[in-house]
């Protein structure tokens, strides 16, 4: 049952990202800005913070692989990154105190890290030709803003749902 | 605890190796996707289809409302151009008939321009905006094959990158990929051949490279596909020239082309199958560029 609810939420976020990109791909946020929705990743981060590390990494790997297969067609990048970042988050949350503001900031910080690492990977694979300065201005900042808005909207409902499922019991 | 730490380090190393192997595997030019990939794509494609219907209904309604505001002005402008259109239509009809007669006289059946379209709806877009790709709701079952050209009513948008039973991924012309090239012609008194490769996403212009340096290219001339790539039909509109620059060695020119379609607002597309079979030779239009 737990897995059913979680996978349903994950699936909704997964599809919603693509629909969001389809609807707002154009100039909806200023002429040459590119905003990238990372809703699914944020779900994985919250799952790690309020659920358990194991679940976070498991969902991270499966969702990352699906994302790679369906959207980017370059296998491995998200599949590797999501569980890795989920692991780092769980380490961070042991040091930081567990209140919702800290959770929001941590999720945002890791979204930014994810975005930068993916950018570097694409530079290496020569699927991107942007300087870092240009990237910061045109992609990173708008993306962070969009995801901040999404985190703020979704953090409380996500926290409630995940805590209700009570995943702490099956921790590491 | 050192034992424990080592285990994790080992896991990290192994996963990095797997990562590199997987990337290498997927970068290769692949004829077909593996079956787990196809299965995942079909499943998510189905889900995307379910979600897409209500969403596109709502956005369609909002778009209609916006259109209503401009109806009066548009109507005025269109009426002014109607006479022009009638004249053009009779001319086209005349030319078509003449073309057909001449072809009959020559007994030449093949035509690079001929194609048969398959209608499709866009059900998703790659949210990670590095690889500009769309997912459409037609696949192998509907006769879509890898490398077919994809157009909208305004012109060429891209080609089919991979195909599963019920969905297909379309790589847009604007995506940055070395393998993403289209042989094209700049129309004018003096036809110039070149290759569309690359996209300036800051100015939203396509780059048409390898045009011989001595060709005079007028601004605003139209650019169409040449059909020499072996895959695309001839005569699909790509855009119009807005700027021409000589490349760094002075041997070639690069034209900046304003695409005729908006790559960010695509909802319905046509996948076109060329009727003349191209040979699987990949030596694109370069032979034509003298």
């Amino acid at each position: 049952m737990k897995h059913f609810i979680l996978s349903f939420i994950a699936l909704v976020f997964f599809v919603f990202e693509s629909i969001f990109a389809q609807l707002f791909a154009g100039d909806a946020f200023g002429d040459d800005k590119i905003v990238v929705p990372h809703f699914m990743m944020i779900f994985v981060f919250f799952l790690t913070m309020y659920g358990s590390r194991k679940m976070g990494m498991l969902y991270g790997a499966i969702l990352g692989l699906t994302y790679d297969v369906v959207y980017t067609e370059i296998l491995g990048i998200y599949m590797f990154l999501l569980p890795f970042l989920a692991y780092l988050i769980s380490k961070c949350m042991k040091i930081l105190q567990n209140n919702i503001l800290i959770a929001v900031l941590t999720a945002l910080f890791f979204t930014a890290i994810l975005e930068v690492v993916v950018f570097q990977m694409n530079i290496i694979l020569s699927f991107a030709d942007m300087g870092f300065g240009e990237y910061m201005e045109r992609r990173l900042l708008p993306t962070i803003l969009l995801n901040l808005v999404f985190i703020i909207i979704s953090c409380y409902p996500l926290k409630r749902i995940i805590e209700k499922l009570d995943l702490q019991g099956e921790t590491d | 605890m050192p034992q424990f730490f080592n285990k994790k380090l080992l896991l990290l190393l192994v996963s990095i190796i797997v990562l590199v192997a997987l990337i290498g595997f997927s970068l290769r030019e692949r004829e077909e996707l593996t079956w787990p990939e196809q299965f995942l794509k079909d499943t998510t494609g189905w889900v995307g289809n379910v979600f897409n219907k209500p969403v596109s209904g709502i956005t369609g309604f909002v778009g209609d409302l916006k259109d209503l505001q401009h109806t009066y002005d548009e109507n005025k402008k269109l009426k002014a151009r109607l006479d022009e259109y009638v004249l053009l239509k009779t001319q086209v009809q005349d030319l078509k008939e003449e073309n057909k007669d001449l072809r009959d006289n020559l007994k030449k059946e093949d035509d690079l321009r001929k194609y048969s379209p398959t209608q499709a709806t866009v059900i998703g877009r790659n949210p990670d905006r590095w690889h500009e790709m769309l997912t459409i709701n037609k696949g192998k079952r509907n006769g879509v094959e890898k490398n077919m050209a994809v157009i909208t009513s305004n012109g060429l948008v891209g080609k089919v990158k991979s195909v599963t039973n019920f969905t297909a991924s379309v790589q847009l012309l604007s995506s940055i990929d070395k393998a993403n090239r289209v042989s094209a012609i700049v129309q004018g008194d003096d036809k110039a051949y070149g290759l569309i490769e690359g996209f300036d996403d800051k100015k939203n212009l396509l780059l048409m490279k390898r045009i011989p340096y001595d060709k005079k290219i007028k601004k605003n001339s139209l650019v169409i596909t040449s059909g020499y790539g072996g895959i695309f039909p001839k005569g699909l509109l790509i855009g119009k020239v807005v700027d021409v620059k000589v490349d760094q060695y002075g041997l070639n020119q690069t034209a900046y082309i304003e695409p005729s379609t908006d790559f960010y607002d695509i909802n319905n597309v046509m996948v076109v199958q060329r009727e003349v079979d191209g040979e699987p030779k990949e030596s694109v239009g370069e032979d034509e560029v003298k």
Side-chain angles (χ1 to χ4, degrees), chain B residues 6 14 97 99 103 114 136 142 151 214 219 226 264:
Chain B
N6 278 340
V14 169
E97 271 165 25
N99 190 330
R103 267 177 194 283
K114 273 191 190 161
I136 56 173
N142 310 88
I151 59 175
D214 54 348
K219 275 181 195 166
S226 72
Y264 300 116

Side-chain angles (χ1 to χ4, degrees), chain B residues 4-278:
Chain B
F4 189 58
F5 178 70
N6 278 340
K7 212 164 119 193
K8 276 183 182 164
L9 206 62
L10 198 69
L11 190 69
L12 186 68
L13 281 176
V14 169
S15 47
I16 285 177
I17 292 168
V18 172
L19 168 76
V20 172
L22 270 178
I23 289 177
F25 172 71
S26 47
L27 280 182
R28 232 178 30 184
E29 195 56 33
R30 285 188 291 171
E31 266 311 302
E32 214 171 43
L33 298 174
T34 52
W35 72 260
E37 281 175 284
Q38 296 207 12
F39 175 74
L40 263 180
K41 281 195 157 204
D42 279 338
T43 321
T44 49
W46 184 81
V47 177
N49 229 340
V50 170
F51 277 84
N52 188 55
K53 288 234 165 79
V55 171
S56 69
I58 293 166
T59 51
F61 182 68
V62 174
D64 286 349
L65 285 185
K66 269 188 196 159
D67 285 348
L68 266 181
Q69 290 180 326
H70 308 292
T71 316
Y72 182 72
D73 287 341
E74 257 174 22
N75 201 0
K76 246 202 234 161
K77 269 186 212 157
L78 288 176
K79 262 188 185 149
R81 297 197 60 180
L82 207 58
D83 299 335
E84 218 178 297
Y85 173 72
V86 171
L87 192 68
L88 206 64
K89 201 181 160 192
T90 49
Q91 274 178 356
V92 168
Q93 191 63 34
D94 191 36
L95 286 174
K96 258 189 187 165
E97 271 165 25
E98 197 186 338
N99 190 330
K100 193 166 166 278
D101 284 348
L102 291 175
R103 267 177 194 283
D104 283 348
N105 286 346
L106 283 171
K107 300 211 166 36
K108 188 175 184 300
E109 293 277 318
D110 294 353
D111 189 350
L112 290 178
R113 284 181 193 81
K114 273 191 190 161
Y115 60 77
S116 49
T118 313
Q119 303 283 343
T121 309
V122 177
I123 53 170
R125 192 188 178 96
N126 179 7
D128 149 307
R129 297 275 298 280
W130 295 113
H131 319 267
E132 291 283 18
M133 279 201 290
L134 301 175
T135 313
I136 56 173
N137 67 347
K138 292 283 160 74
K140 270 184 221 160
R141 290 287 166 88
N142 310 88
V144 175
E145 281 163 32
K146 192 180 152 92
N147 282 331
M148 279 184 181
V150 179
I151 59 175
T152 64
S153 49
N154 295 326
L156 186 71
V157 289
K159 68 171 184 193
V160 175
K161 193 183 180 212
S162 63
V163 55
T164 64
N165 275 332
F166 302 102
T167 66
S169 299
V170 177
Q171 186 177 37
L172 297 183
L173 283 180
S174 57
S175 85
I176 296 167
D177 183 352
K178 296 239 160 55
N180 194 13
R181 291 179 181 178
V182 181
S183 167
I185 308 174
V186 183
Q187 286 185 320
D189 302 334
D190 191 11
K191 275 199 234 165
Y193 291 87
L195 291 174
I196 303 279
E197 47 174 295
F199 184 68
D200 183 337
D201 67 347
K202 205 162 186 187
K203 297 184 203 135
N204 267 334
L205 298 175
L206 288 165
L207 271 56
M208 181 169 169
K209 293 182 179 166
R210 299 166 201 238
I211 305 169
Y213 71 98
D214 54 348
K215 295 279 181 190
K216 296 265 182 301
I217 291 168
K218 285 197 196 104
K219 275 181 195 166
N220 285 329
S221 29
L222 293 176
V223 179
I224 58 170
T225 54
S226 72
Y228 293 135
I231 304 160
F232 291 1
K234 187 177 178 177
L236 301 176
L237 183 63
I238 296 173
K240 67 176 187 211
V241 178
V242 289
D243 194 12
V244 184
K245 274 187 191 138
V246 178
D247 78 350
Q248 62 188 93
Y249 305 113
L251 299 171
N252 288 315
Q253 300 183 82
T254 297
Y256 290 81
I257 295 163
E258 189 188 313
S260 59
T261 38
D262 180 0
F263 291 128
Y264 300 116
D265 184 20
I266 305 171
N267 292 312
N268 293 294
V269 295
M270 277 178 279
V271 184
V272 302
Q273 155 90 36
R274 190 166 92 164
E275 288 188 359
V276 180
D277 273 344

Side-chain angles (χ1 to χ4, degrees), chain A residues 114-128:
Chain A
L114 175 86
E115 180 57 36
V116 173
V117 175
V118 172
F119 167 62
Q120 293 299 343
M121 292 297 267
N122 277 300
I123 289 276
I124 293 170
L125 299 173
S126 74
F127 281 113

Side-chain angles (χ1 to χ4, degrees), chain A:
Chain A
M1 192 58 195
K2 281 174 191 170
H3 281 286
F4 180 75
I5 294 174
L6 285 178
S7 1
F8 182 74
I9 299 173
L11 185 70
V12 169
F13 280 161
F14 183 80
V15 175
F16 184 55
E17 256 184 42
S18 152
I19 291 174
F20 185 91
Q22 167 73 4
L23 289 182
F24 299 102
D27 305 332
F29 301 96
D31 36 348
D32 61 348
K33 301 280 186 283
I34 301 173
V35 290
V36 184
H38 282 308
F39 306 151
M40 193 188 78
M41 294 72 178
I42 290 165
F43 168 71
V44 171
F45 296 160
F46 274 100
L47 183 63
T48 323
M49 281 188 269
Y50 293 115
S52 71
R53 180 166 88 194
K54 207 170 118 195
M55 291 289 261
M57 288 178 75
L58 181 70
Y59 273 82
I62 295 172
L63 288 173
L65 177 67
T66 321
Y67 194 92
D68 282 332
V69 168
V70 176
Y71 295 138
T72 65
E73 296 202 355
I74 305 292
L75 307 181
I77 296 183
Y78 285 91
M79 186 186 92
F80 174 74
L81 263 180
L82 283 183
F84 185 63
L85 290 180
Y87 178 77
L88 288 185
I89 276 201
S90 74
K91 284 282 171 213
C92 279
M93 290 321 276
K94 278 193 184 136
I95 305 164
L96 299 168
Q97 45 174 305
N98 204 351
N99 72 38
I100 199 144
L101 184 69
I102 299 280
V104 165
L105 290 178
T106 321
L108 189 68
F109 177 68
F110 275 91
T111 313
I113 288 185
L114 175 86
E115 180 57 36
V116 173
V117 175
V118 172
F119 167 62
Q120 293 299 343
M121 292 297 267
N122 277 300
I123 289 276
I124 293 170
L125 299 173
S126 74
F127 281 113
D129 55 354
M130 260 190 212
F132 194 76
E134 194 195 345
Y135 166 76
M136 283 282 284
E137 189 193 329
R138 287 187 50 211
R139 246 190 99 117
L140 189 58
L141 286 179
T143 301
I144 288 180
L145 277 181
L146 169 78
N147 287 298
L148 176 64
V149 172
F150 178 77
I151 292 174
I152 290 173
I153 295 171
S154 67
C155 65
Y156 191 67
L158 272 181
K159 180 173 159 33
R160 280 294 297 276
I161 293 170
I162 296 171
E163 280 181 344
K164 236 184 181 173
L165 289 176
D166 191 27
L167 302 165
Q168 300 284 4
E170 35 187 284
T171 28
D172 349 54

